Amino acid sequence: LPPPTFCTGSKKKGTMVKHNNVVPNAHFHKYWQKYVRTWFNQPARKLRRRNNRQAKAAATFPRPVAGALRPAVHCQTVKYGRKLRQGRGFSLEELREAGIDRNVAPTIGIAVDHRRINNSEESLRRNALRLKEYMERVVVFPRRSNAKKAKAGDANKDELAKVQQVTGDLMPVTNAPAPVTTRKITKEDKERNVSKQLKDARSEKRLFGARKKAAEDAAAAEK
């Protein structure tokens, strides 16, 4: 038998790949046209959405296209809690602060949520000012177009002639950056150990009962 030979140069035709790799077995003979999704109807859908928006605006005239006015509330969780968004409806306390009856509010385009409560004075004041600003800008149409005398709060004929429909967002909620105030670091700030203060506060809360009982026992022993 001839002696064994070793290939030290380039790979020859028919030689196996090195190491324990997967054998090349790619499948390229597939019916790929069957799995291709086309999007040729996108321009027609764009036109259909535009027509639907125009039809909705015409059907809801003169009311705003966006719907009822909604409050500004904070998002959930710690990550998004600093941001404001539109909520479900104004609380009864906010309506009372703005001087609006809870039964009249839905009839003039104000969303009401009787389950919502205000946990801070800031949210109550913010949404009360939002309601007052809305009431200054709102135009209330009379219930009867042929009424001889307008009721209190209804718009007159001159205001009705100049009314325009709100097509965008109704009083959008903005997240303005909070102002940041700076000051110089004092000597007391440098000497204060905030970590130690937090640790002492946690210890005081945890050992409050034991320390109180020890003080009472010591006072009873002195007597």
Side-chain angles (χ1 to χ4, degrees), residues 53-195:
R53 287 195 300 268
Q54 292 177 351
K56 179 182 178 181
T60 59
F61 184 85
R63 297 185 296 273
V65 178
L69 178 70
R70 302 189 181 276
V73 300
H74 283 277
C75 300
Q76 294 180 345
T77 70
V78 177
K79 182 177 181 180
Y80 303 103
R82 59 186 175 84
K83 292 186 178 181
L84 290 175
R85 63 171 178 84
Q86 289 190 358
R88 182 182 182 90
F90 290 90
S91 65
L92 302 181
E93 190 175 1
E94 292 169 352
L95 295 173
R96 195 180 306 111
E97 185 73 16
I100 303 174
D101 188 77
R102 58 183 297 183
N103 298 321
V104 179
T107 63
I108 57 177
I110 299 176
V112 181
D113 186 7
H114 66 276
R115 294 162 295 190
R116 182 168 159 265
I117 58 175
N118 295 97
N119 294 325
S120 65
E121 191 71 23
E122 181 184 1
S123 65
L124 175 63
R125 184 169 55 254
R126 183 197 308 117
N127 289 316
L129 294 176
R130 184 176 173 85
L131 286 171
K132 292 178 181 179
E133 182 182 357
Y134 175 78
M135 294 302 297
E136 293 176 357
R137 299 165 54 182
V138 70
V139 177
V140 181
F141 276 56
R143 179 168 297 183
R144 297 180 181 178
S145 58
N146 58 353
K148 297 181 180 179
K149 185 178 180 181
K151 294 184 178 181
D154 293 349
N156 52 35
K157 294 183 179 180
D158 297 336
E159 294 177 347
L160 296 179
K162 297 184 296 183
V163 69
Q164 293 182 355
Q165 187 181 25
V166 180
T167 56
D169 293 337
L170 181 61
M171 298 178 63
V173 178
T174 57
N175 287 277
V180 179
T181 58
T182 59
R183 64 179 180 85
K184 292 184 178 180
I185 299 176
T186 60
K187 183 179 179 181
E188 291 77 7
D189 295 337
K190 294 179 180 180
E191 295 177 352
R192 183 173 53 189
N193 191 345
V194 180
S195 178

Side-chain angles (χ1 to χ4, degrees), residues 44-57:
R45 286 190 175 185
K46 179 180 179 181
L47 179 61
R48 184 176 64 182
R49 289 193 299 268
R50 184 171 185 268
N51 294 336
N52 290 341
R53 287 195 300 268
Q54 292 177 351
K56 179 182 178 181

